[in-house]
Amino acid sequence: MRDINAVLLRELRGRLRTPRSYWLLCGALLLVSSISLLIYSADYASMSGQSTFNGSSGHTVFLALVITALIAVNFIAPIMAAGSIAGERERQTFDLILLTELRPIDIIIGKIAATCAYCMLFVTALTPLMAITFLIGGVDIGELAIMYIIIMSTALLYTSIGVYWSTRTQTAITATGYALATILVLLLILPVVVLVTPELFPDLFSENTNTWMQLMLAIHPYATIIFTQESIRNATIWSMPYNLFGATVVGPAMWLLSVAVSWVWSCLCMVLSILRLTPPTSKGAS
Amino acid sequence: MIEFRSVRKSYGTTNALVELTCTIPSGATVGLIGPNGSGKTTALRLLTTLIPPTSGDILVDGDSVCTTPAAVRRRIGYMPDTFGVYEAMTATEYLDFYARCGNMPATLRATTIPAILARVGLSDARETAVMSLSRGMAQRLSLGRALLHDPAILVLDEPASGLDPRARIELRMLLHALHNDGKTILISSHILSDLADLCTHLLILEHGKTIRYDTLANLTQVTQHQSIRVELTTAAPNFVAVAAACGYHAQPSSDDPLCYLVHGSTAPVDRAALLQALVAAEVAVFSFAVQESALEQAFLQMTSADQVMKELPHA
Ligand SMILES: Nc1ncnc2c1ncn2[C@@H]1O[C@H](COP(=O)(O)OP(=O)(O)OP(=O)(O)O)[C@@H](O)[C@H]1O
Ligand SMILES: [Mg+2]
């Protein structure tokens, strides 16, 4: 059996051994738990007539937890991933790795797996908080699983984007800049484009607006969570209707689409990263 | 055997290395020497396959850096001119990481790593954090890393830079031992004396051009201006005349008025006669030494003329 990927092992050890990563994890957990507490209290105050929590307050807190976790992953994944290759170039350790038996694919997978594992550690650390909302009611295990899958797929996508930029730049800081900018475009500019385009070309989109939006926003995890809420309320977690050119067809649910889109884009980023590390066939030989 | 065949490397309009052609026999220790920016690092990185040549090719035991780089890499242990460290890692873990990267099985790692640490004299520092190693220890650990997969060829870029005299001597002894093990060693430096007693061959580079590539024996022979350095306690105006009478050419040393450099016959009998004549003429000689470091002079002769012309454009 092949040994565990050496890059992955070193990255995880290196990260978890520094006090910085503990503080980062503590800080993020503190942030998430205070936000959920805040929402909890606000929700409690607004139900002045009633004396007990009900499913809806459990669900509100659950959503708040999911969104905050997603926000945290939004930053943790690309920032950590952006340092992966460019940081080695900065520390001048990268040449030595390239000269070992590791193939570019081993290096890229090790780097991506390390950042994803860190994100997973963070999301797993939220489990007790999630469990509370689960016990209060209003959240079922399926929804919990779907949200975990969306968060981890997002982590994979943003990590891959970060690693890709990391292979293209010489310093971690520029890679971080490019990675965050790319994600900013996906999260802020894309929804604007999606909302504005049907207004500009009403003839093209008159019947398909909703489907067009869903298809385009599948790469947007926040939009996916919102659309998925609707599906869950309608108790159709696996499928949803699409309006395509006048006909209504039943297709995969928004979150399935989103996960698939994330994976496809992640794979694309990985392939591009691997190609960046593969030395060009030399011109020197005559 | 390593063959550089008309190797050229350009960065845009900068020619880092021009038409390097040389053959390095197995077991040789080759010193690459030249001032800053002369292309030493470029030549070594080309050999390690980290950068491709712009034209030409390098063959390592028949394998080309252009067409079969993986095979070349396996034969080479490379020690770059910088020691890159990862945070929070001990010396043992540092070697363990690179051993894993080289797909070394766990059982082999367990024996190889302590052996390498012992070889480079770091057994006591095996649990020391890599970041806190002294420069000399870090260099030795880096050399240990290059030795992990037991390569036949060692490529060492300025291993002695930044080391104190003691660390230099330790490094030199290590390299001597590796040479005796039959390793082919390429080592760069801009300090000639670092290499003089270590190398079998010298490659002298300047502005990317090969000034000279030859065995150490040939290089020192060509410029057999072996001289005798004579030091006096008091001035002797008749020194030059006495030396001339014995067939020697004497000139005052530029740095010390009580010191002369004497050129002429290298035969021991003639030298003895010269010393006798000096003593008979009541010249107060207190030191009479043959200058062994003819290499330094050879090097200066080969590079300086060219360099001075370039550095003084108005001359
Ligand atoms: N990546 C690069 N991009 C552009 N120019 C480069 C690059 N690497 C080296 N050069 C140029 O190539 C020439 C040779 O550089 P090289 O590093 O090989 O010299 P060197 O002999 O190792 O010098 P030093 O003693 O300073 O280490 C220099 O003029 C340098 O500016
Ligand atoms: Mg150099």
Side-chain angles (χ1 to χ4, degrees):
Chain A
M1 195 197 82
R2 245 176 103 96
D3 267 321
I4 174 170
N5 186 307
V7 175
L8 170 64
L9 189 72
R10 195 206 55 71
E11 289 270 328
L12 284 180
R13 266 197 196 152
R15 286 205 202 292
L16 296 179
R17 268 187 192 170
T18 56
R20 199 181 51 204
S21 69
Y22 283 105
W23 288 120
L24 202 70
L25 199 60
C26 281
L29 281 176
L30 200 67
L31 184 85
V32 176
S33 43
S34 353
I35 288 176
S36 63
L37 185 68
L38 227 96
I39 291 173
Y40 227 160
S41 335
D43 206 46
Y44 189 58
S46 73
M47 307 180 296
S48 40
Q50 294 160 264
S51 56
T52 49
F53 290 125
N54 57 21
S56 112
S57 53
H59 194 255
T60 313
V61 176
F62 170 75
L63 267 191
L65 277 175
V66 167
I67 300 281
T68 351
L70 201 53
I71 292 174
V73 164
N74 241 310
F75 289 98
I76 295 177
I79 291 174
M80 276 200 162
S84 58
I85 306 279
E88 297 237 11
R89 285 207 183 103
E90 269 177 275
R91 277 177 299 185
Q92 311 196 286
T93 47
F94 196 54
D95 283 349
L96 296 178
I97 294 206
L98 282 181
L99 289 180
T100 65
E101 297 285 323
L102 291 182
R103 296 160 300 167
I105 187 170
D106 299 322
I107 300 174
I108 295 296
I109 290 201
K111 295 287 185 189
I112 289 180
T115 303
C116 283
Y118 193 83
C119 290
M120 202 183 285
L121 177 70
F122 169 72
V123 176
T124 311
L126 289 179
T127 307
L129 290 171
M130 300 263 191
I132 293 175
T133 65
F134 186 66
L135 292 174
I136 290 171
V139 185
D140 70 85
I141 194 94
E143 184 172 7
L144 189 71
I146 291 174
M147 292 306 158
Y148 266 130
I149 292 171
I150 293 176
I151 293 174
M152 283 317 298
S153 302
T154 309
L156 176 70
L157 175 64
Y158 291 178
T159 301
S160 310
I161 291 175
V163 167
Y164 169 69
W165 283 115
S166 197
T167 59
R168 293 205 57 131
T169 56
Q170 291 298 321
T171 61
I173 193 83
T174 37
T176 308
Y178 281 123
L180 288 178
T182 309
I183 291 168
L184 197 75
V185 167
L186 290 179
L187 289 184
L188 295 181
I189 315 251
L190 182 74
V192 173
V193 172
V194 169
L195 290 177
V196 164
T197 325
E199 302 291 324
L200 294 180
F201 308 98
D203 308 344
L204 270 174
F205 290 96
S206 55
E207 286 184 2
N208 310 327
T209 307
N210 214 25
T211 297
W212 146 255
M213 274 170 61
Q214 291 187 336
L215 287 175
M216 284 304 290
L217 290 178
I219 204 167
H220 197 298
Y222 299 90
T224 305
I225 286 177
I226 291 165
F227 279 108
T228 302
Q229 287 307 306
E230 204 179 307
S231 306
I232 290 170
R233 236 174 286 128
N234 299 338
T236 53
I237 57 168
W238 295 109
S239 60
M240 67 175 190
Y242 292 84
N243 293 318
L244 287 171
F245 309 108
T248 301
V249 288
V250 174
M254 176 77 172
W255 68 272
L256 282 174
L257 193 66
S258 164
V259 166
V261 167
S262 296
W263 287 3
V264 167
W265 280 99
S266 304
C267 286
L268 189 72
C269 287
M270 274 184 233
V271 170
L272 289 176
S273 308
I274 291 166
L275 289 179
R276 290 283 311 176
L277 296 195
T278 310
T281 35
S282 178
K283 299 160 274 175
S286 45
Chain B
M1 193 169 76
I2 305 168
E3 287 173 79
F4 285 80
R5 290 188 178 169
S6 319
V7 178
R8 200 164 65 78
K9 180 69 190 176
S10 320
Y11 293 104
T13 53
T14 316
N15 285 322
L17 200 64
V18 202
E19 292 297 314
L20 173 59
T21 301
C22 66
T23 303
I24 298 169
S26 296
T29 300
V30 181
L32 276 80
I33 183 145
N36 291 130
S38 54
K40 304 182 294 291
T41 300
T42 305
L44 296 180
R45 283 171 62 87
L46 282 166
L47 175 60
T48 59
T49 75
L50 279 169
I51 48 175
T54 308
S55 67
D57 198 358
I58 306 171
L59 298 184
V60 177
D61 294 334
D63 281 312
S64 152
V65 294
C66 300
T67 53
T68 47
V72 173
R73 257 179 245 156
R74 269 180 215 122
R75 295 208 179 86
I76 291 180
Y78 174 52
M79 176 175 166
D81 50 356
T82 48
F83 179 67
V85 291
Y86 295 109
E87 66 276 15
M89 211 179 211
T90 66
T92 302
E93 284 167 344
Y94 178 81
L95 292 182
D96 186 66
F97 168 60
Y98 287 102
R100 281 172 190 269
C101 290
N103 292 339
M104 193 186 281
T107 46
L108 197 56
R109 287 203 303 270
T111 54
T112 307
I113 291 169
I116 296 239
L117 284 170
R119 169 120 222 206
V120 297
L122 287 176
S123 290
D124 292 339
R126 62 184 178 275
E127 295 304 323
T128 308
V130 169
M131 282 173 104
S132 63
L133 290 177
S134 73
R135 172 97 192 164
M137 291 164 108
Q139 290 290 75
R140 278 184 280 145
L141 183 60
S142 185
L143 181 60
R145 199 216 67 252
L147 292 170
L148 267 178
H149 58 297
D150 195 24
I153 299 164
L154 284 173
V155 176
L156 316 173
D157 198 355
E158 311 232 8
S161 77
L163 296 190
D164 65 27
R166 191 198 155 83
R168 259 164 215 262
I169 291 169
E170 285 168 350
L171 181 77
R172 195 174 303 199
M173 279 160 49
L174 243 170
L175 293 179
H176 259 304
L178 289 167
H179 172 69
N180 291 337
D181 284 356
K183 305 247 184 238
T184 308
I185 303 174
L186 278 86
I187 175 171
S188 81
S189 177
H190 52 264
I191 303 166
L192 186 71
S193 56
D194 274 355
L195 301 178
D197 58 343
L198 207 60
C199 298
T200 57
H201 294 62
L202 273 190
L203 173 62
I204 302 171
L205 292 170
E206 199 178 12
H207 301 296
K209 291 197 220 35
T210 311
I211 303 282
R212 197 69 203 276
Y213 172 68
D214 212 333
T215 63
L216 198 68
N218 283 347
L219 276 170
T220 39
Q221 204 175 31
V222 166
T223 45
Q224 257 309 350
H225 291 301
Q226 222 185 32
S227 59
I228 305 167
R229 187 180 165 92
V230 185
E231 289 178 76
L232 314 177
T233 51
T234 51
N238 57 342
F239 188 96
V240 177
V242 176
C246 299
Y248 281 88
H249 172 69
Q251 61 187 109
S253 162
S254 52
D255 52 333
D256 182 358
L258 288 178
C259 175
Y260 288 85
L261 292 178
V262 185
H263 302 275
S265 162
T266 53
V269 198
D270 295 333
R271 284 177 177 167
L274 171 65
L275 181 57
Q276 270 176 346
L278 287 171
V279 172
E282 295 186 334
V283 176
V285 176
F286 83 91
S287 161
F288 187 91
V290 176
Q291 297 269 95
E292 290 295 351
S293 174
L295 185 62
E296 197 90 34
Q297 289 172 1
F299 177 65
L300 285 176
Q301 274 176 12
M302 279 182 278
T303 56
S304 63
D306 198 29
Q307 179 130 7
V308 169
M309 293 301 284
K310 283 191 181 116
E311 281 172 6
L312 298 171
H314 308 295

